[in-house]
């Protein structure tokens, strides 16, 4: 199994508060991703990173920011949480991206269940 | 743009029944195709993959063949077990895109 951990695993917070989720990997993979999973939507990409300090937006990036100051850590921040951000958040990593080959394979963390009241 | 469409669920089967979950894709380049499985309360795990046309991915009795002519990557298993109960996601990534595209997932329940 790929070495990916997410913290916290569960969090309940109130509307308007800031929240930071952490993803940590021990695989030294270049690419890291944040997804949210909601019923009927499958997985939707929030942001991804292609190196230290290099990030880009995904399909549903509004209301989220990310930072990557070290290869192994990728942080997702909700500056002011809203009830619509209640979801399960998954981090993923891959060696490569956009090659169309097997090194594009993404490996997922265990997820963080976030509830915004 | 690139996309994946997979069979709606939920699917309920008796143990030892045959399983097929349909997946079709649209891609502008030369995609790699994947099936992921998600067990209750867990993250997604790679089940199998195929990186070029006519490749067959296989794992744990599951198989899927990359069919370029029908743009499909259907997941099959000849005899399902209760332990196969999970949500299955079809996905693709392409050499012309910058994202990984997932289907909406198909929930499978296998009853004894």
């Amino acid at each position: 199994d790929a070495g990916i951990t997410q913290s916290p695993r569960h969090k309940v917070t109130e509307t308007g508060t800031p929240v930071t989720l952490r993803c940590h990997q021990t695989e030294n993979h270049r690419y890291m991703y944040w997804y949210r999973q909601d019923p009927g939507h499958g997985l939707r990409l929030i942001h991804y990173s292609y190196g230290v300090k290099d990030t880009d937006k995904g399909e549903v990036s509004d209301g989220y920011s990310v930072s990557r100051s070290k290869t192994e850590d990728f942080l997702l921040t909700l500056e002011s949480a809203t009830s619509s951000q209640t979801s399960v958040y998954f981090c993923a990593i891959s060696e490569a991206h956009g090659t169309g080959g097997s090194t594009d394979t993404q490996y997922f963390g265990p997820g963080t269940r976030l509830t915004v009241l | 743009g690139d996309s994946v469409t997979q069979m709606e669920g939920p699917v309920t089967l008796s143990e030892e029944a045959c399983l097929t979950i349909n997946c079709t894709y649209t891609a502008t380049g030369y995609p790699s195709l994947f099936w992921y499985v998600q067990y209750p309360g867990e993250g997604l795990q790679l089940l199998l993959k195929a990186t070029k046309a006519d490749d067959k991915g296989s794992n744990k009795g599951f198989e899927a063949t990359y069919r370029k002519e029908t743009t499909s990557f259907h997941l099959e298993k000849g005899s399902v077990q209760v332990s196969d109960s999970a949500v299955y996601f079809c996905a693709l990534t392409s050499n012309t895109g910058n994202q990984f595209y997932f289907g909406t997932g198909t929930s499978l329940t296998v009853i004894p």
Side-chain angles (χ1 to χ4, degrees):
Chain A
D1 290 343
I4 311 168
T5 56
Q6 293 184 230
S7 59
R9 294 293 313 279
H10 302 271
K11 186 169 182 67
V12 179
T13 191
E14 293 189 350
T15 297
T17 60
V19 176
T20 295
L21 309 183
R22 179 181 183 238
C23 176
H24 178 79
Q25 61 143 330
T26 58
E27 306 296 323
N28 201 35
H29 282 359
R30 179 179 175 188
Y31 294 87
M32 299 185 75
Y33 311 80
W34 277 106
Y35 292 90
R36 59 178 290 173
Q37 184 179 30
D38 303 289
H41 292 278
L43 272 78
R44 293 181 290 175
L45 182 66
I46 304 171
H47 283 279
Y48 70 98
S49 169
Y50 47 97
V52 173
K53 292 187 169 56
D54 293 323
T55 64
D56 204 353
K57 296 179 179 180
E59 177 187 0
V60 290
S61 59
D62 287 349
Y64 302 94
S65 62
V66 291
S67 66
R68 190 166 176 203
S69 59
K70 297 185 290 185
T71 298
E72 58 267 35
D73 289 325
F74 192 33
L75 304 181
L76 176 70
T77 297
L78 292 64
E79 300 291 347
S80 178
T82 68
S83 59
S84 65
Q85 293 175 313
T86 293
S87 187
V88 180
Y89 291 86
F90 288 100
C91 174
I93 65 173
S94 67
E95 287 185 76
H97 186 92
T99 68
S102 60
T103 51
D104 286 2
T105 300
Q106 292 192 356
Y107 299 94
F108 285 80
T112 294
R113 182 173 295 277
L114 176 67
T115 302
V116 183
L117 302 175
Chain B
D2 295 356
S3 66
V4 172
T5 302
Q6 69 178 96
M7 179 175 146
E8 295 276 339
V11 175
T12 302
L13 294 174
S14 297
E15 204 165 23
E16 298 185 3
C18 294
L19 168 71
T20 300
I21 301 177
N22 292 332
C23 172
T24 57
Y25 68 89
T26 301
T28 53
Y30 298 94
S32 292
L33 301 172
F34 304 81
W35 277 101
Y36 283 84
V37 58
Q38 184 180 32
Y39 299 103
E42 298 183 10
L44 278 70
Q45 302 175 23
L46 178 67
L47 180 59
L48 53 84
K49 64 187 179 188
T51 58
K52 61 183 188 295
D54 299 325
D55 270 2
K56 177 185 283 188
S58 61
N59 186 25
K60 299 181 182 180
F62 290 89
E63 294 183 339
T65 301
Y66 186 162
R67 303 276 189 206
K68 189 176 178 183
E69 63 275 13
T70 54
T71 62
S72 65
F73 192 55
H74 304 323
L75 182 67
E76 299 176 324
K77 188 174 186 182
S79 176
V80 294
Q81 306 301 312
V82 172
S83 57
D84 294 327
S85 297
V87 180
Y88 293 82
F89 292 90
C90 185
L92 74 81
T93 186
S94 170
N95 64 335
T96 63
N98 62 359
Q99 291 199 37
F100 217 89
Y101 296 91
F102 287 87
T104 53
T106 301
S107 175
L108 170 67
T109 300
V110 180
I111 54 177

